[in-house]
Amino acid sequence: MFEVVVALDLLSEIYSSFEPFQPPPKKAYVDCQDVRGGWEVTRELGRKITRSKQPTCQLYSGHRGVGKSTELLRLKEHLEQKKYFVVYFAADDEDIEPQDADYADILFACTRHLVEAIKLEQHNPLLNWMKDRWESLKDIALTEVAFDGLSLEGQISQFAKITTNLRATPDKRRELRQKINANTPSLVEALNDFIQEAQKSLSAKSANSRGIVLIVDNLDRMAETQEIGKPSNYDDIYLNRSEMLRRLACHVVYTVPIKMVYSGRATQLENNYDKPDVLPMIMIRNPDGTENKLGLDKMRELICRRIALIEPNLLQTLEGKVDGLDFPPVFDNGETLKNLCLMSGGHVRNLMQLIQKAIDWTDELPITGKAAKRAIEETRETYQKTVQESEWETLARACHLKQAYNDDAHLDLLFKRCLLEYRYYDQNDNLQIWCNVHPLIEGIPRFQDVLAKVRAL
């Protein structure tokens, strides 16, 4: 048994390295395509861009916290190596309010990030567009300054001021939406003129420049809202406004709420954009319930790489092993580490959250089996509160059959991550998709009782 006592600051560093809401550093990335049904971002999203002569528009989705942003940042790096100019932004950081988002918000956010990323000094169609409408827009920017009196940087900064004020002030948000919706064709035209000018500018600087790619992340965090007698904001953005979203004269990747992909609107999305790409879970168990060793190895590697960034010496291999799996001395033994991995269900953010909760119960390393158990029970309680009484039987049947039907009951459970979806290719190279209940729910007595009744039928 290897025991190590660390200073509080080191324990805090380890805790922070498992931040569940931030993509990991590049050195902590783990390639999980072998346990995600072969899904790999440069193939699934990248090749359509690099092999197409015309601008492309792709939709990308997945469960919250499964690792979508991490993969998009890898795509950005890959495309930059291929000589594309990539503009990536997380829409909910500064531009849109996830609980109240509309098409106009997204279009203006795209405009803002493009004009900030590529500073055209000579002919800038977007600044001209803003100048022509400044009298009606300057109150949203909360300024009385004349647009012509601003420097280039000052003019560009007005786009950011407007999006910031929109996010903070609902009344201004509605006002700008009305103005943008009334001027959508002219804004899209100015945006495309800007993109063409920007591509000329980039080509002049580098003969190898292959064009512009816009990646709009975190749109999947938008809540679905609907006013009586009107389509939901999801339908309005992705279906009714699909022509506008696809009209941008550069390659674009939009994230999309998984609730749309797992719904009756899926065929409409495919008709308008081609089939949306969905990032699968990491498969840590097989459909027959046995452990998937490769999946567990990947989850362990996710942990070890983050620890190595803090203190490489903490990864010294111990004598103890569990099923041949080495474990770092941050944990008291391999069973503790494996249990946390299994209880995550192959969901990366859940794993990060479980480890942080276990560290909450830890005063000095190593993290013990007892601390891990406390973390698991606390997280299990959250899932128990999430499941409604009418949903226990649906969960039990899905667990028994290892599949989810395409109805509202199953879709809601997938959306809430009570059901998890996995993919793999069988020995005949056929794609197999299957579902199971989240492992944390499996340990709830109410679920076990209902599952026993379902199996008895």
Side-chain angles (χ1 to χ4, degrees):
M1 180 70 179
F2 180 89
E3 293 185 351
V4 56
V5 178
V6 296
L8 180 60
D9 59 344
L10 179 55
L11 193 58
S12 297
E13 287 291 328
I14 295 171
Y15 183 92
S16 297
S17 71
F18 290 99
E19 168 55 50
F21 296 100
Q22 295 294 330
K26 181 180 175 181
K27 291 182 178 179
Y29 178 77
V30 177
D31 183 356
C32 295
Q33 62 175 306
D34 290 340
V35 285
R36 278 180 162 157
W39 198 97
E40 205 279 325
V41 70
T42 61
R43 179 176 57 253
E44 303 294 339
L45 297 174
R47 284 185 180 173
K48 188 169 184 177
I49 293 171
T50 59
R51 295 179 176 179
S52 297
K53 293 184 178 180
Q54 300 298 322
T56 61
C57 181
Q58 300 181 78
L59 297 184
Y60 170 58
S61 191
H63 284 289
R64 291 277 300 273
V66 75
K68 295 187 300 300
S69 295
T70 300
E71 296 299 331
L72 285 179
L73 291 172
R74 281 194 67 239
L75 176 65
K76 177 179 183 293
E77 180 183 15
H78 169 75
L79 292 173
E80 287 172 342
Q81 291 173 352
K82 297 287 185 181
K83 306 303 179 182
Y84 288 90
F85 188 94
V86 183
V87 179
Y88 166 96
F89 70 97
D92 64 334
D93 276 355
E94 299 175 330
D95 300 291
I96 70 168
E97 168 50 56
Q99 299 304 313
D100 178 23
D102 188 82
Y103 165 76
D105 310 1
I106 297 169
L107 179 61
F108 205 80
C110 292
T111 303
R112 170 253 173 114
H113 284 276
L114 282 168
V115 77
E116 284 184 347
I118 309 172
K119 295 180 173 61
L120 297 181
E121 297 184 11
Q122 302 301 321
H123 174 59
N124 192 319
L126 287 176
L127 295 186
N128 292 337
W129 182 91
M130 178 73 86
K131 177 183 176 181
D132 291 342
R133 291 156 184 80
W134 185 241
E135 286 304 312
S136 66
L137 293 175
K138 66 182 182 181
D139 62 320
I140 302 175
L142 301 181
T143 182
E144 292 297 326
V145 177
F147 195 74
D148 284 339
L150 296 169
S151 64
L152 175 64
E153 291 290 341
Q155 290 178 347
I156 291 173
S157 71
Q158 300 311 307
F159 289 89
K161 286 184 179 180
I162 288 175
T163 58
T164 299
N165 293 334
L166 286 177
R167 180 169 175 160
T169 314
D171 291 342
K172 296 291 185 183
R173 198 180 304 148
R174 286 189 288 271
E175 184 181 343
L176 181 69
R177 284 173 182 169
Q178 293 173 353
K179 292 178 179 178
I180 290 182
N181 285 331
N183 290 277
T184 294
S186 65
L187 178 55
V188 173
E189 182 180 356
L191 193 50
N192 283 336
D193 288 345
F194 173 88
I195 291 169
Q196 291 170 359
E197 290 294 324
Q199 289 175 335
K200 290 178 186 177
S201 175
L202 293 170
S203 295
K205 295 176 181 177
S206 172
N208 296 323
S209 175
R210 297 185 64 183
I212 297 169
V213 181
L214 179 63
I215 300 176
V216 189
D217 198 3
N218 290 357
L219 293 178
D220 58 302
R221 299 183 181 182
M222 291 188 299
E224 186 169 19
T225 59
Q226 184 170 11
E227 296 180 20
I228 297 175
K230 294 183 178 181
S232 74
N233 61 328
Y234 283 8
D235 289 344
D236 186 56
I237 293 167
Y238 292 100
L239 300 180
N240 299 345
R241 304 281 190 162
S242 62
E243 184 178 353
M244 289 296 180
L245 289 179
R246 291 186 288 110
R247 268 186 60 188
L248 298 191
C250 64
H251 299 288
V252 188
V253 177
Y254 298 104
T255 43
V256 58
I258 196 169
K259 191 173 182 180
M260 279 208 79
V261 179
Y262 287 131
S263 74
R265 297 167 286 193
T267 54
Q268 292 175 274
L269 287 177
E270 187 166 343
N271 289 339
N272 291 349
Y273 303 92
D274 206 349
K275 185 178 181 180
D277 269 288
V278 178
L279 179 63
M281 296 285 176
I282 295 173
M283 199 166 83
I284 44 100
R285 286 193 184 275
N286 301 312
D288 63 3
T290 58
E291 295 173 2
N292 186 301
K293 185 180 183 303
L294 181 57
L296 285 172
D297 284 348
K298 292 294 184 182
M299 297 297 273
R300 169 189 175 272
E301 189 179 353
L302 284 168
I303 295 170
C304 290
R305 283 182 180 263
R306 295 192 182 219
I307 293 172
L309 294 177
I310 305 303
E311 177 51 69
N313 291 333
L314 291 176
L315 293 183
Q316 296 171 355
T317 302
L318 303 185
E319 294 181 0
K321 293 185 179 181
V322 178
D323 296 333
L325 189 67
D326 294 344
F327 61 92
V330 166
F331 301 91
D332 60 353
N333 59 59
E335 282 291 348
T336 298
L337 170 60
K338 186 168 78 167
N339 198 28
L340 288 168
C341 293
L342 287 172
M343 287 299 103
S344 73
H347 186 270
V348 177
R349 183 174 295 166
N350 270 179
L351 179 63
M352 303 298 113
Q353 291 169 326
L354 284 168
I355 292 175
Q356 282 197 336
K357 285 182 180 294
I359 295 176
D360 285 340
W361 288 95
T362 302
D363 294 320
E364 59 184 40
L365 294 180
I367 298 169
T368 64
K370 181 177 181 180
K373 176 69 172 173
R374 293 286 178 88
I376 290 167
E377 289 303 316
E378 284 184 0
T379 311
R380 177 174 284 139
E381 182 185 13
T382 300
Y383 276 89
Q384 183 162 359
K385 291 176 180 177
T386 300
V387 180
Q388 304 301 300
E389 183 59 33
S390 60
E391 295 175 324
W392 290 113
E393 185 172 345
T394 303
L395 278 172
R397 290 187 182 280
C399 178
H400 180 57
L401 298 173
K402 297 297 183 289
Q403 67 179 38
Y405 294 111
N406 193 27
D407 58 26
D408 289 342
H410 287 86
L411 294 178
D412 284 344
L413 290 167
L414 281 166
F415 184 65
K416 294 190 293 188
R417 297 200 308 269
C418 296
L419 281 176
L420 303 178
E421 182 180 273
Y422 304 93
R423 303 179 183 198
Y424 70 97
Y425 282 90
D426 63 20
Q427 58 186 5
N428 297 318
D429 227 20
N430 295 320
L431 179 62
Q432 302 294 332
I433 300 176
W434 64 285
C435 289
N436 202 2
V437 66
H438 196 295
L440 290 168
I441 293 176
E442 287 187 90
I444 297 174
R446 180 77 178 101
F447 172 78
Q448 294 172 347
D449 291 343
V450 178
L451 180 62
K453 293 176 182 178
V454 167
R455 286 175 171 168
L457 294 177

